[in-house]
């Protein structure tokens, strides 16, 4: 009878042992799986490094030869100089500017140096030195982009505006979205850039921009005429006010309605009306001043913010340097040859 109570404990011990064995097998499988991955990665690395170790002499010789050849080509090829001009177009002349820059590149591609010579008023020998034009949006700050984004949202309904984020707006902007444009010219001659400024200035002129400028000037003339008439009316009202002041001393109650300006003069409000007329005159004169300033500031189709340098700079991107490109191509070619030598026998001996 004493042995019967111990049977459940023995069964529990057996169950625990079996559980630990299962857990142990699970950990072993996990460790084996991780070990197989590490071993595979190690094998891949060793297999990838093996050809470099075996053929390192061929690789080094090929890279050195390619580097020397690239350096030689870099030394004998003609230097390309570049210079930039920063402009601010008005009256939507930026559309004509971008189109004209593309036209210049087309003339260069077609070797139509006679047309380029006429445009820039240079000899054909000089324009043959020009290798290309490039136009990009000018520099702008993050605050300027945010202001432009807010102005863009004001032109949309609330439902559409809520679905457009600032990131979407910036990502979908085109070159025509900017107000400043940077034009870069590339040439074999380093001191030709200042001679191109007048020709580029003619790129802004077109019938649409001229018509828009004339329309703006006509609207300013009409607005100025209206404001000058209002000033005359205010002057007349001031004269009436002076007469009212003279009559106030003779009459106990005086009231004059000036419907045209929405003003009335009476004995109790003469001081107030004097201040209102003065403010009205100041407002009208400020509006006239703003119109004159606008016409003076935008009296051309563009402004040059930064001119071309007298002497261009010679800067070559790394991907255009033969000293770098040829060794990289030689290394890729060696890798392709090695892979081909390994793949062809495998494909021939492969059996499905």
């Amino acid at each position: 009878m004493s042995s019967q109570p111990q049977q459940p404990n023995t069964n529990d011990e057996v169950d625990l042992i079996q559980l630990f064995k299962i857990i142990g097998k699970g950990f072993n499988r996990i460790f084996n799986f991780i070990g197989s991955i590490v071993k595979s990665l190690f094998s891949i690395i060793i297999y990838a490094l093996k050809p470099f170790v075996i053929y390192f002499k061929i690789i080094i010789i090929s890279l050195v030869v390619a580097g020397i050849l690239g350096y030689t080509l870099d030394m004998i090829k003609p230097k390309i100089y570049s210079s930039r001009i920063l402009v601010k177009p008005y009256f939507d002349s930026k559309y004509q500017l971008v189109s004209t820059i593309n036209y210049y590149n087309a003339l260069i591609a077609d070797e139509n140096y006679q047309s380029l010579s006429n445009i820039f008023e240079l000899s054909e020998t000089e324009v043959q030195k020009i290798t290309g034009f490039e136009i990009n949006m000018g520099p702008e700050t993050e605050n300027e982009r945010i202001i432009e984004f807010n102005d863009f949202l004001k032109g949309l309904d609330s439902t559409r505006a809520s679905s457009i984020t600032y990131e979407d707006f910036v990502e979908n902007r085109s070159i025509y979205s900017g107000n400043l444009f940077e034009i870069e010219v590339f040439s074999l001659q380093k001191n030709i850039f200042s001679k191109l400024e007048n020709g580029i200035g003619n790129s802004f002129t077109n019938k649409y921009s001229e018509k828009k400028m004339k329309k703006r000037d006509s609207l300013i003339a009409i607005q100025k005429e209206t404001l000058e008439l209002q000033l005359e009316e205010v002057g007349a009202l001031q004269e009436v006010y002076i007469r009212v002041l003279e009559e106030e001393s003779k009459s106990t109650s005086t009231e004059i309605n000036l419907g045209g300006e929405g003003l009335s003069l009476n004995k109790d409000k003469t001081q107030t009306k004097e201040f209102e007329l003065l403010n009205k005159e100041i407002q009208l004169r400020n509006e006239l001043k703003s119109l004159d300033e606008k016409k003076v500031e935008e009296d051309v189709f563009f402004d040059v913010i930064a001119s071309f340098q007298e002497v261009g700079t010679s800067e070559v991107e790394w991907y255009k340097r033969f000293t770098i490109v040829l060794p990289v191509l030689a290394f890729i070619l060696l890798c392709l040859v090695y892979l081909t030598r390994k793949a062809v026998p495998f494909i021939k001996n492969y059996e499905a």
Side-chain angles (χ1 to χ4, degrees), residues 90-91 213 216 294-301 303:
Y90 301 111
F91 306 108
M213 184 179 185
R216 191 284 309 266
K294 183 177 181 180
K295 189 171 183 179
V296 170
E297 290 176 357
E298 299 181 9
D299 62 336
V300 291
F301 293 105
D303 278 327

Side-chain angles (χ1 to χ4, degrees), residues 300-313:
V300 291
F301 293 105
F302 73 100
D303 278 327
V304 176
I305 309 301
S307 300
F308 283 121
Q309 298 173 340
E310 290 293 331
V311 178
T313 57

Side-chain angles (χ1 to χ4, degrees), residues 48-66 327 330-331 334-335 338:
L49 293 176
K50 185 177 179 180
F52 295 102
V53 175
I54 296 174
Y55 303 108
F56 77 95
K57 292 182 179 180
I58 297 176
I59 294 173
I60 291 176
I61 293 173
S62 299
L63 294 181
V64 170
V65 172
F331 178 77
L334 290 175
C335 292
Y338 175 79

Side-chain angles (χ1 to χ4, degrees), residues 86 89 158 249:
L86 189 64
S158 57
S249 59

Side-chain angles (χ1 to χ4, degrees), residues 79-202:
K79 286 187 177 181
I80 302 295
Y81 299 92
S82 66
S83 184
R84 298 179 177 90
I85 183 174
L86 189 64
V87 295
K88 183 177 182 179
Y90 301 111
F91 306 108
D92 287 340
S93 58
K94 56 186 177 182
Y95 300 102
Q96 180 66 35
L97 173 63
V98 174
S99 176
T100 305
I101 295 299
N102 293 331
Y103 172 65
Y104 291 163
N105 287 325
L107 291 177
I108 293 173
D110 292 339
E111 298 183 357
N112 190 346
Y113 300 117
Q114 179 62 47
S115 297
L116 287 171
S117 176
N118 295 333
I119 292 171
F120 294 105
E121 298 179 354
L122 298 173
S123 66
E124 290 191 31
T125 304
E126 288 180 303
V127 295
Q128 286 177 8
K129 302 295 184 179
I130 303 173
T131 60
F133 293 80
E134 186 176 309
I135 182 169
N136 296 294
M137 291 177 59
E140 57 182 357
T141 64
E142 188 69 16
N143 290 336
E144 289 173 338
R145 282 194 290 265
I146 292 174
I147 293 174
E148 187 177 344
F149 174 64
N150 292 331
D151 293 338
F152 172 74
L153 293 181
K154 291 177 182 179
L156 303 177
D157 59 85
S158 57
T159 303
R160 181 61 176 167
S162 61
S163 63
I164 298 178
T165 63
Y166 174 74
E167 290 74 17
D168 294 334
F169 171 77
V170 174
E171 183 179 354
N172 291 290
R173 296 174 76 210
S174 69
I175 189 174
Y176 299 108
S177 302
N179 294 320
L180 293 177
F181 291 85
E182 185 182 71
I183 304 171
E184 185 172 10
V185 183
F186 302 90
S187 173
L188 299 174
Q189 183 178 334
K190 62 181 179 181
N191 59 349
I192 194 178
F193 303 101
S194 59
K195 302 176 183 179
L196 305 176
E197 193 164 318
N198 291 334
I200 290 179
N202 296 330

